[in-house]
Amino acid sequence: MPLGGGNKCGCCKKTVYFAEEVQCEGQSFHKSCFLCMVCRKNLDSTTVAVHQDEIYCKSCYGKKYGPKGYGFGGGAGTLSMDTGEALGIKPAGQTSHRLTNNPNPSKFAQKLGGSDVCPRCGNAVYAAEKVVGGGNSWHKSCFRCAKCGKSLESTTLADKDGEIYCKGCYAKNFGPKGFGFGQGAGALAHAQ
């Protein structure tokens, strides 16, 4: 602790005494100086965001240093026309978008082009609708028993010859047959 009673404030550079000290990132601040550099809101340990030696509230920090562009709105479905000039951000000039004829598409584009094919309907299966079972990729809506149409889960299916069945239909159609191999809970059936 330097002579004069305490550390120097990271904002006003005056002495900070213990009773009024707030510490952040190894620096000391007066409680009254611990404010966002942009909007001047009071900060605490849950609302502070630090960039180099500057302190911000999380909202102003996000506007100044966070991601920019389409899809990075101000939250809760808002559309903001704020360019950030008040935060010291220089608005970028409008750039026109143009199509390219790139002969080497990205791995992402190659993956989309080469997606799995659903064995039930024959259409492409994309990640958002993909269910894996029986060694194949299926659409969620196609992931049903081939006999009764019951919706399946990976734990409730049995597969045969590339087709999927619920355990009940699989047992009826492909299980052992004859006297003593009933169709369910204690039933006796005589197979002809």
Side-chain angles (χ1 to χ4, degrees), residues 68-103:
K68 310 280 186 295
Y70 183 77
F72 295 103
T78 61
L79 176 62
S80 174
M81 300 306 288
D82 181 10
T83 60
E85 290 177 19
L87 301 173
I89 301 169
K90 294 180 177 50
Q94 290 289 79
T95 58
S96 61
H97 297 282
R98 57 188 171 85
L99 296 174
T100 62
N101 292 325
N102 185 353

PDB file of all heavy atoms in Angstrom, residues 68-103:
ATOM      1  N   LYS A  68     -20.654  -8.296 -34.599  1.00  0.00           N
ATOM      2  CA  LYS A  68     -21.460  -7.338 -35.359  1.00  0.00           C
ATOM      3  C   LYS A  68     -22.104  -8.067 -36.533  1.00  0.00           C
ATOM      4  O   LYS A  68     -21.605  -9.063 -37.010  1.00  0.00           O
ATOM      5  CB  LYS A  68     -20.587  -6.207 -35.919  1.00  0.00           C
ATOM      6  CG  LYS A  68     -19.665  -5.539 -34.929  1.00  0.00           C
ATOM      7  CD  LYS A  68     -20.389  -4.524 -34.090  1.00  0.00           C
ATOM      8  CE  LYS A  68     -19.489  -3.724 -33.195  1.00  0.00           C
ATOM      9  NZ  LYS A  68     -18.814  -4.458 -32.168  1.00  0.00           N
ATOM     10  N   GLY A  69     -23.196  -7.532 -37.008  1.00  0.00           N
ATOM     11  CA  GLY A  69     -23.798  -8.053 -38.228  1.00  0.00           C
ATOM     12  C   GLY A  69     -25.166  -8.640 -37.984  1.00  0.00           C
ATOM     13  O   GLY A  69     -25.722  -8.599 -36.903  1.00  0.00           O
ATOM     14  N   TYR A  70     -25.703  -9.229 -39.025  1.00  0.00           N
ATOM     15  CA  TYR A  70     -27.033  -9.803 -39.006  1.00  0.00           C
ATOM     16  C   TYR A  70     -27.085 -10.938 -38.000  1.00  0.00           C
ATOM     17  O   TYR A  70     -26.224 -11.793 -37.975  1.00  0.00           O
ATOM     18  CB  TYR A  70     -27.389 -10.327 -40.401  1.00  0.00           C
ATOM     19  CG  TYR A  70     -28.775 -10.885 -40.484  1.00  0.00           C
ATOM     20  CD1 TYR A  70     -29.867 -10.043 -40.551  1.00  0.00           C
ATOM     21  CD2 TYR A  70     -28.992 -12.243 -40.464  1.00  0.00           C
ATOM     22  CE1 TYR A  70     -31.140 -10.548 -40.610  1.00  0.00           C
ATOM     23  CE2 TYR A  70     -30.259 -12.763 -40.527  1.00  0.00           C
ATOM     24  CZ  TYR A  70     -31.328 -11.904 -40.605  1.00  0.00           C
ATOM     25  OH  TYR A  70     -32.596 -12.412 -40.663  1.00  0.00           O
ATOM     26  N   GLY A  71     -28.101 -10.950 -37.162  1.00  0.00           N
ATOM     27  CA  GLY A  71     -28.275 -12.007 -36.187  1.00  0.00           C
ATOM     28  C   GLY A  71     -27.711 -11.681 -34.822  1.00  0.00           C
ATOM     29  O   GLY A  71     -27.896 -12.422 -33.886  1.00  0.00           O
ATOM     30  N   PHE A  72     -26.983 -10.573 -34.686  1.00  0.00           N
ATOM     31  CA  PHE A  72     -26.439 -10.182 -33.392  1.00  0.00           C
ATOM     32  C   PHE A  72     -27.155  -8.928 -32.928  1.00  0.00           C
ATOM     33  O   PHE A  72     -26.582  -7.865 -32.829  1.00  0.00           O
ATOM     34  CB  PHE A  72     -24.928  -9.941 -33.494  1.00  0.00           C
ATOM     35  CG  PHE A  72     -24.166 -11.180 -33.827  1.00  0.00           C
ATOM     36  CD1 PHE A  72     -23.689 -11.401 -35.097  1.00  0.00           C
ATOM     37  CD2 PHE A  72     -23.963 -12.144 -32.859  1.00  0.00           C
ATOM     38  CE1 PHE A  72     -22.997 -12.547 -35.399  1.00  0.00           C
ATOM     39  CE2 PHE A  72     -23.274 -13.298 -33.150  1.00  0.00           C
ATOM     40  CZ  PHE A  72     -22.788 -13.497 -34.431  1.00  0.00           C
ATOM     41  N   GLY A  73     -28.455  -9.055 -32.648  1.00  0.00           N
ATOM     42  CA  GLY A  73     -29.272  -7.912 -32.263  1.00  0.00           C
ATOM     43  C   GLY A  73     -29.081  -7.528 -30.814  1.00  0.00           C
ATOM     44  O   GLY A  73     -28.287  -8.095 -30.091  1.00  0.00           O
ATOM     45  N   GLY A  74     -29.850  -6.555 -30.386  1.00  0.00           N
ATOM     46  CA  GLY A  74     -29.758  -6.047 -29.032  1.00  0.00           C
ATOM     47  C   GLY A  74     -30.470  -6.910 -28.015  1.00  0.00           C
ATOM     48  O   GLY A  74     -30.480  -6.598 -26.850  1.00  0.00           O
ATOM     49  N   GLY A  75     -31.071  -8.000 -28.410  1.00  0.00           N
ATOM     50  CA  GLY A  75     -31.728  -8.901 -27.477  1.00  0.00           C
ATOM     51  C   GLY A  75     -33.230  -8.810 -27.546  1.00  0.00           C
ATOM     52  O   GLY A  75     -33.801  -7.835 -28.024  1.00  0.00           O
ATOM     53  N   ALA A  76     -33.896  -9.836 -27.118  1.00  0.00           N
ATOM     54  CA  ALA A  76     -35.352  -9.953 -27.031  1.00  0.00           C
ATOM     55  C   ALA A  76     -36.048  -9.557 -28.324  1.00  0.00           C
ATOM     56  O   ALA A  76     -37.070  -8.893 -28.323  1.00  0.00           O
ATOM     57  CB  ALA A  76     -35.890  -9.144 -25.856  1.00  0.00           C
ATOM     58  N   GLY A  77     -35.477  -9.946 -29.446  1.00  0.00           N
ATOM     59  CA  GLY A  77     -36.126  -9.717 -30.726  1.00  0.00           C
ATOM     60  C   GLY A  77     -36.141  -8.286 -31.192  1.00  0.00           C
ATOM     61  O   GLY A  77     -36.953  -7.918 -32.036  1.00  0.00           O
ATOM     62  N   THR A  78     -35.279  -7.446 -30.666  1.00  0.00           N
ATOM     63  CA  THR A  78     -35.286  -6.045 -31.054  1.00  0.00           C
ATOM     64  C   THR A  78     -34.496  -5.820 -32.330  1.00  0.00           C
ATOM     65  O   THR A  78     -33.557  -6.544 -32.623  1.00  0.00           O
ATOM     66  CB  THR A  78     -34.676  -5.152 -29.955  1.00  0.00           C
ATOM     67  OG1 THR A  78     -33.325  -5.548 -29.752  1.00  0.00           O
ATOM     68  CG2 THR A  78     -35.458  -5.248 -28.677  1.00  0.00           C
ATOM     69  N   LEU A  79     -34.886  -4.819 -33.068  1.00  0.00           N
ATOM     70  CA  LEU A  79     -34.141  -4.393 -34.247  1.00  0.00           C
ATOM     71  C   LEU A  79     -33.606  -3.015 -33.929  1.00  0.00           C
ATOM     72  O   LEU A  79     -34.353  -2.090 -33.651  1.00  0.00           O
ATOM     73  CB  LEU A  79     -35.060  -4.339 -35.475  1.00  0.00           C
ATOM     74  CG  LEU A  79     -34.416  -3.825 -36.755  1.00  0.00           C
ATOM     75  CD1 LEU A  79     -33.281  -4.761 -37.169  1.00  0.00           C
ATOM     76  CD2 LEU A  79     -35.428  -3.742 -37.862  1.00  0.00           C
ATOM     77  N   SER A  80     -32.303  -2.889 -33.920  1.00  0.00           N
ATOM     78  CA  SER A  80     -31.691  -1.627 -33.543  1.00  0.00           C
ATOM     79  C   SER A  80     -31.009  -0.991 -34.738  1.00  0.00           C
ATOM     80  O   SER A  80     -30.297  -1.654 -35.482  1.00  0.00           O
ATOM     81  CB  SER A  80     -30.659  -1.858 -32.436  1.00  0.00           C
ATOM     82  OG  SER A  80     -29.980  -0.662 -32.163  1.00  0.00           O
ATOM     83  N   MET A  81     -31.221   0.292 -34.929  1.00  0.00           N
ATOM     84  CA  MET A  81     -30.563   1.035 -35.999  1.00  0.00           C
ATOM     85  C   MET A  81     -29.370   1.797 -35.441  1.00  0.00           C
ATOM     86  O   MET A  81     -28.774   2.615 -36.122  1.00  0.00           O
ATOM     87  CB  MET A  81     -31.554   2.006 -36.664  1.00  0.00           C
ATOM     88  CG  MET A  81     -32.766   1.311 -37.278  1.00  0.00           C
ATOM     89  SD  MET A  81     -32.346   0.015 -38.435  1.00  0.00           S
ATOM     90  CE  MET A  81     -31.764   0.976 -39.788  1.00  0.00           C
ATOM     91  N   ASP A  82     -29.000   1.512 -34.197  1.00  0.00           N
ATOM     92  CA  ASP A  82     -27.865   2.159 -33.555  1.00  0.00           C
ATOM     93  C   ASP A  82     -26.586   1.716 -34.248  1.00  0.00           C
ATOM     94  O   ASP A  82     -26.278   0.530 -34.322  1.00  0.00           O
ATOM     95  CB  ASP A  82     -27.832   1.765 -32.078  1.00  0.00           C
ATOM     96  CG  ASP A  82     -26.684   2.403 -31.313  1.00  0.00           C
ATOM     97  OD1 ASP A  82     -26.012   3.294 -31.871  1.00  0.00           O
ATOM     98  OD2 ASP A  82     -26.473   2.013 -30.153  1.00  0.00           O
ATOM     99  N   THR A  83     -25.825   2.666 -34.790  1.00  0.00           N
ATOM    100  CA  THR A  83     -24.584   2.329 -35.491  1.00  0.00           C
ATOM    101  C   THR A  83     -23.408   2.262 -34.548  1.00  0.00           C
ATOM    102  O   THR A  83     -22.332   1.843 -34.956  1.00  0.00           O
ATOM    103  CB  THR A  83     -24.285   3.383 -36.580  1.00  0.00           C
ATOM    104  OG1 THR A  83     -24.149   4.663 -35.965  1.00  0.00           O
ATOM    105  CG2 THR A  83     -25.382   3.405 -37.629  1.00  0.00           C
ATOM    106  N   GLY A  84     -23.561   2.698 -33.303  1.00  0.00           N
ATOM    107  CA  GLY A  84     -22.492   2.634 -32.335  1.00  0.00           C
ATOM    108  C   GLY A  84     -21.578   3.842 -32.350  1.00  0.00           C
ATOM    109  O   GLY A  84     -20.519   3.837 -31.740  1.00  0.00           O
ATOM    110  N   GLU A  85     -21.947   4.914 -33.052  1.00  0.00           N
ATOM    111  CA  GLU A  85     -21.099   6.103 -33.120  1.00  0.00           C
ATOM    112  C   GLU A  85     -20.867   6.702 -31.737  1.00  0.00           C
ATOM    113  O   GLU A  85     -19.798   7.224 -31.459  1.00  0.00           O
ATOM    114  CB  GLU A  85     -21.710   7.136 -34.063  1.00  0.00           C
ATOM    115  CG  GLU A  85     -21.641   6.691 -35.521  1.00  0.00           C
ATOM    116  CD  GLU A  85     -22.308   7.674 -36.468  1.00  0.00           C
ATOM    117  OE1 GLU A  85     -22.497   8.845 -36.088  1.00  0.00           O
ATOM    118  OE2 GLU A  85     -22.640   7.260 -37.585  1.00  0.00           O
ATOM    119  N   ALA A  86     -21.857   6.600 -30.829  1.00  0.00           N
ATOM    120  CA  ALA A  86     -21.700   7.132 -29.474  1.00  0.00           C
ATOM    121  C   ALA A  86     -20.646   6.352 -28.692  1.00  0.00           C
ATOM    122  O   ALA A  86     -20.085   6.863 -27.733  1.00  0.00           O
ATOM    123  CB  ALA A  86     -23.037   7.092 -28.732  1.00  0.00           C
ATOM    124  N   LEU A  87     -20.372   5.128 -29.117  1.00  0.00           N
ATOM    125  CA  LEU A  87     -19.383   4.292 -28.447  1.00  0.00           C
ATOM    126  C   LEU A  87     -18.001   4.425 -29.081  1.00  0.00           C
ATOM    127  O   LEU A  87     -17.077   3.735 -28.696  1.00  0.00           O
ATOM    128  CB  LEU A  87     -19.808   2.829 -28.502  1.00  0.00           C
ATOM    129  CG  LEU A  87     -21.151   2.482 -27.872  1.00  0.00           C
ATOM    130  CD1 LEU A  87     -21.502   1.044 -28.160  1.00  0.00           C
ATOM    131  CD2 LEU A  87     -21.126   2.740 -26.385  1.00  0.00           C
ATOM    132  N   GLY A  88     -17.885   5.280 -30.077  1.00  0.00           N
ATOM    133  CA  GLY A  88     -16.601   5.435 -30.746  1.00  0.00           C
ATOM    134  C   GLY A  88     -16.389   4.438 -31.867  1.00  0.00           C
ATOM    135  O   GLY A  88     -15.275   4.237 -32.332  1.00  0.00           O
ATOM    136  N   ILE A  89     -17.473   3.793 -32.327  1.00  0.00           N
ATOM    137  CA  ILE A  89     -17.378   2.844 -33.425  1.00  0.00           C
ATOM    138  C   ILE A  89     -17.671   3.572 -34.718  1.00  0.00           C
ATOM    139  O   ILE A  89     -18.679   4.260 -34.853  1.00  0.00           O
ATOM    140  CB  ILE A  89     -18.393   1.690 -33.232  1.00  0.00           C
ATOM    141  CG1 ILE A  89     -18.126   0.971 -31.923  1.00  0.00           C
ATOM    142  CG2 ILE A  89     -18.349   0.727 -34.409  1.00  0.00           C
ATOM    143  CD1 ILE A  89     -19.219   0.000 -31.539  1.00  0.00           C
ATOM    144  N   LYS A  90     -16.799   3.437 -35.672  1.00  0.00           N
ATOM    145  CA  LYS A  90     -17.007   4.070 -36.973  1.00  0.00           C
ATOM    146  C   LYS A  90     -17.826   3.115 -37.836  1.00  0.00           C
ATOM    147  O   LYS A  90     -17.448   1.961 -38.014  1.00  0.00           O
ATOM    148  CB  LYS A  90     -15.669   4.371 -37.632  1.00  0.00           C
ATOM    149  CG  LYS A  90     -14.878   5.417 -36.869  1.00  0.00           C
ATOM    150  CD  LYS A  90     -13.558   5.694 -37.538  1.00  0.00           C
ATOM    151  CE  LYS A  90     -12.781   6.777 -36.853  1.00  0.00           C
ATOM    152  NZ  LYS A  90     -12.606   6.667 -35.449  1.00  0.00           N
ATOM    153  N   PRO A  91     -18.968   3.591 -38.368  1.00  0.00           N
ATOM    154  CA  PRO A  91     -19.794   2.694 -39.178  1.00  0.00           C
ATOM    155  C   PRO A  91     -19.062   2.304 -40.453  1.00  0.00           C
ATOM    156  O   PRO A  91     -18.421   3.125 -41.093  1.00  0.00           O
ATOM    157  CB  PRO A  91     -21.054   3.519 -39.478  1.00  0.00           C
ATOM    158  CG  PRO A  91     -20.702   4.926 -39.186  1.00  0.00           C
ATOM    159  CD  PRO A  91     -19.557   4.919 -38.228  1.00  0.00           C
ATOM    160  N   ALA A  92     -19.136   1.031 -40.786  1.00  0.00           N
ATOM    161  CA  ALA A  92     -18.496   0.542 -42.007  1.00  0.00           C
ATOM    162  C   ALA A  92     -19.347   0.926 -43.204  1.00  0.00           C
ATOM    163  O   ALA A  92     -20.574   0.995 -43.121  1.00  0.00           O
ATOM    164  CB  ALA A  92     -18.357  -0.977 -41.929  1.00  0.00           C
ATOM    165  N   GLY A  93     -18.706   1.167 -44.295  1.00  0.00           N
ATOM    166  CA  GLY A  93     -19.423   1.500 -45.527  1.00  0.00           C
ATOM    167  C   GLY A  93     -20.176   0.285 -46.036  1.00  0.00           C
ATOM    168  O   GLY A  93     -19.812  -0.853 -45.754  1.00  0.00           O
ATOM    169  N   GLN A  94     -21.235   0.518 -46.789  1.00  0.00           N
ATOM    170  CA  GLN A  94     -22.019  -0.565 -47.333  1.00  0.00           C
ATOM    171  C   GLN A  94     -21.208  -1.287 -48.400  1.00  0.00           C
ATOM    172  O   GLN A  94     -20.635  -0.664 -49.277  1.00  0.00           O
ATOM    173  CB  GLN A  94     -23.319  -0.029 -47.943  1.00  0.00           C
ATOM    174  CG  GLN A  94     -24.317   0.479 -46.911  1.00  0.00           C
ATOM    175  CD  GLN A  94     -24.922  -0.655 -46.133  1.00  0.00           C
ATOM    176  OE1 GLN A  94     -24.300  -1.181 -45.229  1.00  0.00           O
ATOM    177  NE2 GLN A  94     -26.134  -1.026 -46.478  1.00  0.00           N
ATOM    178  N   THR A  95     -21.158  -2.580 -48.318  1.00  0.00           N
ATOM    179  CA  THR A  95     -20.505  -3.368 -49.346  1.00  0.00           C
ATOM    180  C   THR A  95     -21.564  -4.187 -50.043  1.00  0.00           C
ATOM    181  O   THR A  95     -22.487  -4.699 -49.419  1.00  0.00           O
ATOM    182  CB  THR A  95     -19.450  -4.320 -48.741  1.00  0.00           C
ATOM    183  OG1 THR A  95     -20.095  -5.156 -47.796  1.00  0.00           O
ATOM    184  CG2 THR A  95     -18.326  -3.546 -48.082  1.00  0.00           C
ATOM    185  N   SER A  96     -21.445  -4.280 -51.352  1.00  0.00           N
ATOM    186  CA  SER A  96     -22.435  -5.046 -52.092  1.00  0.00           C
ATOM    187  C   SER A  96     -22.079  -6.521 -52.028  1.00  0.00           C
ATOM    188  O   SER A  96     -20.915  -6.901 -51.956  1.00  0.00           O
ATOM    189  CB  SER A  96     -22.470  -4.578 -53.551  1.00  0.00           C
ATOM    190  OG  SER A  96     -21.214  -4.801 -54.142  1.00  0.00           O
ATOM    191  N   HIS A  97     -23.104  -7.344 -52.040  1.00  0.00           N
ATOM    192  CA  HIS A  97     -22.905  -8.773 -52.016  1.00  0.00           C
ATOM    193  C   HIS A  97     -22.950  -9.275 -53.443  1.00  0.00           C
ATOM    194  O   HIS A  97     -23.773  -8.858 -54.235  1.00  0.00           O
ATOM    195  CB  HIS A  97     -24.004  -9.451 -51.181  1.00  0.00           C
ATOM    196  CG  HIS A  97     -23.978  -9.020 -49.755  1.00  0.00           C
ATOM    197  ND1 HIS A  97     -23.071  -9.505 -48.859  1.00  0.00           N
ATOM    198  CD2 HIS A  97     -24.744  -8.133 -49.071  1.00  0.00           C
ATOM    199  CE1 HIS A  97     -23.277  -8.945 -47.686  1.00  0.00           C
ATOM    200  NE2 HIS A  97     -24.282  -8.109 -47.795  1.00  0.00           N
ATOM    201  N   ARG A  98     -22.056 -10.189 -53.769  1.00  0.00           N
ATOM    202  CA  ARG A  98     -22.047 -10.738 -55.119  1.00  0.00           C
ATOM    203  C   ARG A  98     -21.826 -12.236 -55.052  1.00  0.00           C
ATOM    204  O   ARG A  98     -21.200 -12.746 -54.135  1.00  0.00           O
ATOM    205  CB  ARG A  98     -20.989 -10.059 -55.969  1.00  0.00           C
ATOM    206  CG  ARG A  98     -19.605 -10.129 -55.414  1.00  0.00           C
ATOM    207  CD  ARG A  98     -18.623  -9.266 -56.223  1.00  0.00           C
ATOM    208  NE  ARG A  98     -17.378  -9.191 -55.537  1.00  0.00           N
ATOM    209  CZ  ARG A  98     -16.409 -10.094 -55.621  1.00  0.00           C
ATOM    210  NH1 ARG A  98     -16.568 -11.129 -56.400  1.00  0.00           N
ATOM    211  NH2 ARG A  98     -15.288  -9.968 -54.952  1.00  0.00           N
ATOM    212  N   LEU A  99     -22.335 -12.943 -56.022  1.00  0.00           N
ATOM    213  CA  LEU A  99     -22.155 -14.374 -56.102  1.00  0.00           C
ATOM    214  C   LEU A  99     -20.754 -14.687 -56.584  1.00  0.00           C
ATOM    215  O   LEU A  99     -20.159 -13.931 -57.346  1.00  0.00           O
ATOM    216  CB  LEU A  99     -23.167 -14.986 -57.070  1.00  0.00           C
ATOM    217  CG  LEU A  99     -24.632 -14.864 -56.655  1.00  0.00           C
ATOM    218  CD1 LEU A  99     -25.533 -15.366 -57.759  1.00  0.00           C
ATOM    219  CD2 LEU A  99     -24.877 -15.641 -55.380  1.00  0.00           C
ATOM    220  N   THR A 100     -20.230 -15.810 -56.155  1.00  0.00           N
ATOM    221  CA  THR A 100     -18.913 -16.230 -56.623  1.00  0.00           C
ATOM    222  C   THR A 100     -19.036 -17.574 -57.312  1.00  0.00           C
ATOM    223  O   THR A 100     -19.959 -18.345 -57.056  1.00  0.00           O
ATOM    224  CB  THR A 100     -17.914 -16.368 -55.458  1.00  0.00           C
ATOM    225  OG1 THR A 100     -18.390 -17.378 -54.580  1.00  0.00           O
ATOM    226  CG2 THR A 100     -17.746 -15.067 -54.722  1.00  0.00           C
ATOM    227  N   ASN A 101     -18.121 -17.840 -58.160  1.00  0.00           N
ATOM    228  CA  ASN A 101     -18.043 -19.144 -58.817  1.00  0.00           C
ATOM    229  C   ASN A 101     -16.816 -19.863 -58.294  1.00  0.00           C
ATOM    230  O   ASN A 101     -15.889 -20.160 -59.023  1.00  0.00           O
ATOM    231  CB  ASN A 101     -17.955 -18.978 -60.338  1.00  0.00           C
ATOM    232  CG  ASN A 101     -19.238 -18.434 -60.911  1.00  0.00           C
ATOM    233  OD1 ASN A 101     -20.302 -18.757 -60.427  1.00  0.00           O
ATOM    234  ND2 ASN A 101     -19.126 -17.612 -61.935  1.00  0.00           N
ATOM    235  N   ASN A 102     -16.801 -20.134 -57.014  1.00  0.00           N
ATOM    236  CA  ASN A 102     -15.667 -20.760 -56.359  1.00  0.00           C
ATOM    237  C   ASN A 102     -15.650 -22.247 -56.699  1.00  0.00           C
ATOM    238  O   ASN A 102     -16.566 -22.977 -56.357  1.00  0.00           O
ATOM    239  CB  ASN A 102     -15.771 -20.569 -54.847  1.00  0.00           C
ATOM    240  CG  ASN A 102     -14.565 -21.093 -54.105  1.00  0.00           C
ATOM    241  OD1 ASN A 102     -13.695 -21.721 -54.678  1.00  0.00           O
ATOM    242  ND2 ASN A 102     -14.524 -20.833 -52.806  1.00  0.00           N
ATOM    243  N   PRO A 103     -14.589 -22.722 -57.401  1.00  0.00           N
ATOM    244  CA  PRO A 103     -14.537 -24.143 -57.747  1.00  0.00           C
ATOM    245  C   PRO A 103     -14.200 -25.034 -56.562  1.00  0.00           C
ATOM    246  O   PRO A 103     -14.349 -26.236 -56.642  1.00  0.00           O
ATOM    247  CB  PRO A 103     -13.428 -24.211 -58.801  1.00  0.00           C
ATOM    248  CG  PRO A 103     -12.532 -23.059 -58.452  1.00  0.00           C
ATOM    249  CD  PRO A 103     -13.444 -21.985 -57.904  1.00  0.00           C
TER     250      PRO A 103
END
